[in-house]
Amino acid sequence: MKTHLSEQLIGVIVAALLIGAIIACMHIMNRNDDARRNTLAQRQHRKEVQDSLARSAAERDSLRLVWAKQKHERDSLRPIWEAQRLEREQKRAKWEREKAIRDSVRYAQEHIEIILQPFDPNTADSTTLVHLGLRPWMARSVMRYREKGGRFRQKEDFRNVYGMTDSLYAALEQYVQITTDTTLASANILTIKKDTILNLNTADTIELCYIRGIGTYTAKNIVRYRKRLGGFVSAEQLREITPPIQRVDSIIPHFIADSAHISPLYINRLSVDAMVRHPYLNFSQAKAIRDRRHRKGAIRSEEELETLKSDHQLVFTEEDLVRLRPYISYEK
């Protein structure tokens, strides 16, 4: 009996051990399956991450190519933009100059004192005609007519002046006095040309022609050079005009130069193109001024201007600085 119980107990123990072994094996197998699944999931995740990184890198490379293309296009367009900017600056500067001239003409016209007095349209100067009530362009028309050999032979001829209105002619008719003695008229013209003293900075081309030795072509050259300079500081600057003025020595004593009409050269504001329009500045000097402004800011004195260099060489001589001194403004 005892033997039979022992065998049953042993059988139970063996069965329990087998069941435990089976459970342990199943547990190990399940754990291995979990490990494989985790490994596969990690590999899949790494692959997805790598694919995402690869796509991001490809997108960055694609964007980099687009950016490079856009930069190349901007670089190719930059000279065009710069040229357009310079053209706008030139147009703006021209417009401002023309506006200043228009404003000065308008101011002068609004403040002209009308002086009604006897006059001969064959000898009267442009100033006299303007003070009689003619517009400046009408006075210039009269002067051009006379320069071409035209002559007012009777009072009614003055009515044919371009722009003359009935009311203006009616007001001036009683003051028109035609000189019939041509010798006397010629003598009056010679006297005017001999004794006239003009302000070189305010005289127009018509008034300049009153000076013996100055014709229309020379007068235009003088006005053109005056605009480039910004005004004369001395009548001796007439010697700088090209082509040279003939008999300039006899012409200079007829002029004075009023420095109140000088237009400043703002070297801390102007572009290189604007500065080189001045006859006393060349390109290397204007470029040195601009480069100095970009590096260290505004130029504040002639001493700083004197030290400017280009290719390790001073760009301004003492003579250059003396000529520029009346024109340069260091305002920002």
Side-chain angles (χ1 to χ4, degrees):
M1 184 68 179
K2 290 181 180 179
T3 303
H4 180 70
L5 291 172
S6 298
E7 289 177 355
Q8 288 181 347
L9 180 61
I10 290 171
V12 171
I13 292 171
V14 171
L17 290 173
L18 288 173
I19 292 171
I22 291 171
I23 292 172
C25 289
M26 292 178 64
H27 180 69
I28 292 172
M29 291 175 64
N30 290 335
R31 189 170 60 185
N32 289 338
D33 289 342
D34 290 340
R36 275 196 303 274
R37 282 194 295 269
N38 290 336
T39 302
L40 291 174
Q42 290 175 356
R43 289 178 181 173
Q44 183 66 25
H45 178 68
R46 284 197 297 270
K47 185 176 183 302
E48 291 176 355
V49 171
Q50 291 174 352
D51 291 343
S52 177
L53 292 174
R55 286 194 300 271
S56 298
E59 290 176 357
R60 287 196 301 272
D61 292 340
S62 177
L63 287 174
R64 192 175 292 112
L65 291 175
V66 173
W67 295 337
K69 183 178 179 181
Q70 291 175 347
K71 181 178 182 299
H72 177 72
E73 291 176 353
R74 288 196 301 272
D75 292 342
S76 63
L77 290 174
R78 187 168 288 111
I80 298 176
W81 295 337
E82 183 66 17
Q84 292 174 344
R85 184 185 65 80
L86 293 175
E87 183 179 359
R88 288 194 300 272
E89 289 183 355
Q90 293 172 358
K91 289 182 178 179
R92 187 181 299 109
K94 180 180 179 181
W95 181 85
E96 289 176 351
R97 290 195 300 271
E98 292 175 348
K99 181 177 182 299
I101 294 173
R102 290 194 300 270
D103 291 343
S104 62
V105 170
R106 188 180 298 110
Y107 177 85
Q109 292 175 352
E110 292 174 352
H111 293 78
I112 289 175
E113 180 184 1
I114 303 301
I115 303 175
L116 296 178
Q117 58 182 343
F119 71 99
D120 185 347
N122 290 310
T123 58
D125 58 25
S126 59
T127 302
T128 300
L129 294 174
V130 169
H131 281 291
L132 285 166
L134 273 70
R135 309 292 285 182
W137 55 270
M138 294 173 63
R140 287 193 292 271
S141 177
V142 172
M143 303 307 294
R144 283 194 295 269
Y145 174 73
R146 283 162 34 183
E147 287 174 1
K148 294 178 180 179
R151 178 170 175 78
F152 299 94
R153 302 188 181 279
Q154 54 186 354
K155 184 181 298 187
E156 289 73 18
D157 292 342
F158 193 63
R159 175 66 184 83
N160 298 324
V161 171
Y162 179 73
M164 181 68 67
T165 62
D166 293 336
S167 59
L168 179 58
Y169 178 73
L172 296 177
E173 183 178 11
Q174 58 181 319
Y175 298 100
V176 178
Q177 296 181 353
I178 304 296
T179 302
T180 56
D181 189 342
T182 57
T183 303
L184 178 58
S186 299
N188 288 338
I189 295 175
L190 292 176
T191 302
I192 292 173
K193 288 195 174 185
K194 180 179 179 181
D195 298 335
T196 300
I197 301 294
L198 298 177
N199 185 341
L200 197 52
N201 287 326
T202 58
D204 58 23
T205 53
I206 295 174
E207 293 171 327
L208 290 172
C209 290
Y210 285 145
I211 305 301
R212 180 167 295 282
I214 295 181
T216 303
Y217 177 75
T218 301
K220 290 181 179 179
N221 283 345
I222 292 174
V223 171
R224 189 179 299 114
Y225 191 66
R226 182 175 68 196
K227 289 180 180 178
R228 291 184 60 202
L229 275 174
F232 292 95
V233 295
S234 169
E236 291 292 328
Q237 290 173 288
L238 291 173
R239 301 183 187 275
E240 302 168 3
I241 296 175
T242 54
I245 299 175
Q246 297 181 0
R247 295 184 293 178
V248 67
D249 291 332
S250 63
I251 290 172
I252 288 176
H254 289 278
F255 291 104
I256 59 172
D258 183 2
S259 58
H261 293 84
I262 298 298
S263 298
L265 180 65
Y266 295 103
I267 61 172
N268 287 317
R269 306 179 189 173
L270 297 174
S271 65
V272 172
D273 287 343
M275 285 189 283
V276 296
R277 294 192 192 102
H278 197 283
Y280 292 167
L281 279 175
N282 58 40
F283 178 78
S284 63
Q285 292 169 339
K287 183 175 180 295
I289 291 173
R290 185 206 53 193
D291 293 344
R292 166 60 172 75
R293 289 187 338 224
H294 288 174
R295 290 195 313 270
K296 298 183 179 180
I299 299 173
R300 295 179 294 273
S301 65
E302 185 175 311
E303 288 72 19
E304 293 182 6
L305 196 65
E306 187 177 5
T307 60
L308 296 184
K309 292 183 179 181
S310 177
D311 297 329
H312 307 291
Q313 298 290 331
L314 293 174
V315 296
F316 287 101
T317 65
E318 182 63 28
E319 181 181 357
D320 293 334
L321 294 173
V322 170
R323 292 200 305 171
L324 284 168
R325 191 172 294 145
Y327 299 99
I328 286 186
S329 171
Y330 299 97
E331 292 184 16
K332 296 182 181 180

